[in-house]
Amino acid sequence: MTKILYVHSSLCFGGAQSVRYMFLKNLNHESFDVTVCCLGQKGEFGERIEKLGYKVDCFNSQDGLFKFSTTFKLYRYLKENKFDIIHSSLFYANYHSALAVMLSGARHLIIEEHGEHNLHLKMRHFPYRVIGKMVAMRSSIIICCSDFVRNGVKKMYGIKDRKLVTAKNLVEDMRFQIKRSSKEIRSQLDIPFDASIIGTVASLSLVKNQKILLELIARPDNRQLFLVIAGDGPLKNELAVYAKKLGIEKRVRILGWRQDIADILNALDVFMLPSLSEGIPVCLLEAMSIGLPCIASRVGGVEEVIDHKMTGMLARAGDIEDLNLCLRQLLEDKKFSENLGLNARKLVMNNFEPSVYVKKVTALYKMFLNN
């Protein structure tokens, strides 16, 4: 049986981690001998993957550029276990995997890219561009979550088309995961049943730009709106402080990491993702699968999911006026908003179903093993 190792820096909250979980949930267990390795923390998704019956090993180590002890741990792990394919995801896991693969002599390394490479042009990014190119050259195949990301990787690293594969992120039908009604969630969050709620689900970081949502509901024309933010990250406390500074803390709910994301999404009127950079965000696909009308920044691979005014609304990144214009249109035209949600659900259910992603990735595995 083919032995595959999946390498992640951690399996805490995040889109790439969610993709790994959904992939393994839909993978035929009998076809592959799977192990998952966390360089750092196991996290929520690590525990979920264990419940699926997979082995998850954690090093509890740091994953920085000069953390060569982590590289050496991974090297020894590869030598001891003799995996047929190493499949890693995101920069630091890709970096340590490439070094460990070179040292161990392992044959096949697959890496995943999820970010916008066109943003990494400043001088301070130079070391990362050099290392990223080294890792890309060492890999057998680079899986990109969108055509936009694929084009960025090709341009940044000078990679040939034959090494680049687009496998757009997968999503499960979140409607099947709804356990509680919208009224129950609103009651739990102490939000009036007749209030309009906008919300987002994402890591709380600068690139996700949740601050603009706080500024949005602080505007006089949005003083009746409530904002729900689900997710965790370095900006959690800063966002709470900023909400208080704006005088809107009574209309903001910062929930942290939640296991009932489907219930939270089902309680919203509009989903918003004001990111400054994206590949293809899993949280956006999840919201669309519920049938929520969505507004997202016109960045990265988002335009491969949202057709403006057909399957969602697109706003210029960082432009609060454009964001507000989209929001007012959805709140004031209920029929238009409802149709947008229906079209969004149809799109993701037809194009981002897990079996499509699983077939594409497992076909790559078989291709390597037959060569």
Side-chain angles (χ1 to χ4, degrees):
M1 186 179 290
T2 303
K3 292 183 68 175
I4 300 178
L5 176 69
Y6 295 97
V7 183
H8 285 259
S9 290
S10 78
L11 283 164
C12 298
F13 183 81
Q17 293 84 347
S18 178
V19 166
R20 180 66 61 239
Y21 168 72
M22 286 187 286
F23 171 78
L24 291 174
K25 186 178 179 181
N26 289 276
L27 184 68
N28 184 344
H29 289 223
E30 298 177 358
S31 300
F32 303 98
D33 180 2
V34 169
T35 303
V36 181
C37 174
C38 279
L39 303 181
Q41 298 178 344
K42 183 184 294 184
E44 173 69 25
F45 279 113
E47 293 176 1
R48 289 191 189 186
I49 288 169
E50 282 185 325
K51 289 178 182 177
L52 295 176
Y54 295 105
K55 181 182 180 184
V56 179
D57 288 328
C58 291
F59 293 169
N60 294 312
S61 300
Q62 295 180 315
D63 62 1
L65 290 181
F66 302 108
K67 302 299 180 182
F68 297 116
S69 59
T70 301
T71 305
F72 188 66
K73 283 183 183 179
L74 185 56
Y75 155 73
R76 288 193 305 176
Y77 191 78
L78 298 185
K79 291 292 284 186
E80 290 169 4
N81 291 280
K82 307 292 183 185
F83 296 101
D84 298 301
I85 293 172
I86 294 88
H87 183 155
S88 67
S89 181
L90 300 181
F91 181 84
Y92 286 109
N94 294 343
Y95 165 66
H96 288 288
S97 295
L99 292 178
V101 163
M102 284 191 285
L103 291 171
S104 68
R107 286 185 62 199
H108 299 302
L109 171 65
I110 295 175
I111 67 171
E112 286 182 31
E113 294 281 5
H114 289 263
E116 288 193 58
H117 286 68
N118 63 310
L119 300 178
H120 305 154
L121 298 175
K122 294 181 180 178
M123 194 61 201
R124 60 188 169 87
H125 296 139
F126 180 74
Y128 295 91
R129 294 201 301 271
V130 172
I131 291 167
K133 183 169 184 176
M134 178 274 291
V135 172
M137 297 300 289
R138 181 61 188 83
S139 66
S140 302
I141 284 289
I142 304 167
I143 297 176
C144 303
C145 71
S146 70
D147 292 329
F148 185 92
V149 170
R150 174 186 173 132
N151 292 335
V153 171
K154 179 180 178 180
K155 183 177 180 180
M156 181 67 72
Y157 300 144
I159 303 299
K160 302 293 185 184
D161 281 329
R162 59 182 173 79
K163 287 185 69 170
L164 295 166
V165 173
T166 299
K168 296 185 179 181
N169 288 340
L170 64 163
V171 68
E172 295 180 310
D173 189 342
M174 296 293 281
R175 282 191 178 177
F176 288 117
Q177 298 181 31
I178 296 171
K179 299 293 190 296
R180 291 178 293 166
S181 69
S182 173
K183 283 189 175 182
E184 287 180 271
I185 296 298
R186 286 171 180 244
S187 177
Q188 182 192 67
L189 298 179
D190 192 24
I191 297 175
F193 296 155
D194 59 347
S196 293
I197 307 176
I198 66 170
T200 192
V201 178
S203 58
L204 308 184
S205 60
L206 287 173
V207 74
K208 299 300 183 181
N209 197 27
Q210 286 99 350
K211 269 192 173 182
I212 201 171
L213 296 182
L214 297 174
E215 294 164 359
L216 186 67
I217 71 160
R219 292 169 61 107
D221 50 344
N222 293 327
R223 60 180 177 271
Q224 302 302 319
L225 288 179
F226 282 74
L227 170 63
V228 172
I229 300 175
D232 211 340
L235 295 188
K236 184 176 180 180
N237 291 335
E238 186 176 327
L239 290 171
V241 170
Y242 194 49
K244 191 169 184 179
K245 180 181 177 181
L246 293 172
I248 57 171
E249 70 274 16
K250 292 183 179 179
R251 294 189 287 120
V252 176
R253 307 290 184 267
I254 301 176
L255 307 182
W257 165 252
R258 298 280 295 227
Q259 295 190 22
D260 57 345
I261 292 299
D263 292 340
I264 299 299
L265 290 173
N266 189 46
L268 304 180
D269 293 293
V270 178
F271 179 84
M272 304 190 74
L273 191 68
S275 306
L276 303 175
S277 171
E278 285 290 356
I280 284 189
V282 173
C283 60
L284 177 62
L285 298 179
E286 289 177 338
M288 293 172 76
S289 81
I290 294 258
L292 264 175
C294 298
I295 302 170
S297 297
R298 196 185 290 272
V299 295
V302 171
E303 288 185 271
E304 295 172 40
V305 181
I306 290 184
D307 182 1
H308 186 53
K309 294 189 177 182
M310 290 298 294
T311 56
M313 301 289 280
L314 293 169
R316 290 183 294 274
D319 188 333
I320 194 169
E321 295 298 335
D322 202 19
L323 206 60
N324 191 56
L325 190 65
C326 292
L327 178 59
R328 299 318 309 173
Q329 186 169 355
L330 290 183
L331 293 177
E332 292 167 10
D333 189 339
K334 296 297 184 183
K335 186 62 177 176
F336 173 68
S337 181
E338 182 182 337
N339 287 336
L340 219 60
L342 292 172
N343 292 341
R345 175 171 166 77
K346 187 182 297 184
L347 174 82
V348 297
M349 290 297 95
N350 288 340
N351 295 280
F352 296 90
E353 203 273 334
S355 64
V356 176
Y357 184 95
V358 172
K359 285 178 183 177
K360 179 168 277 193
V361 173
T362 53
L364 292 175
Y365 296 162
K366 292 173 184 177
M367 178 186 73
F368 289 141
L369 297 171
N370 290 333
N371 290 339

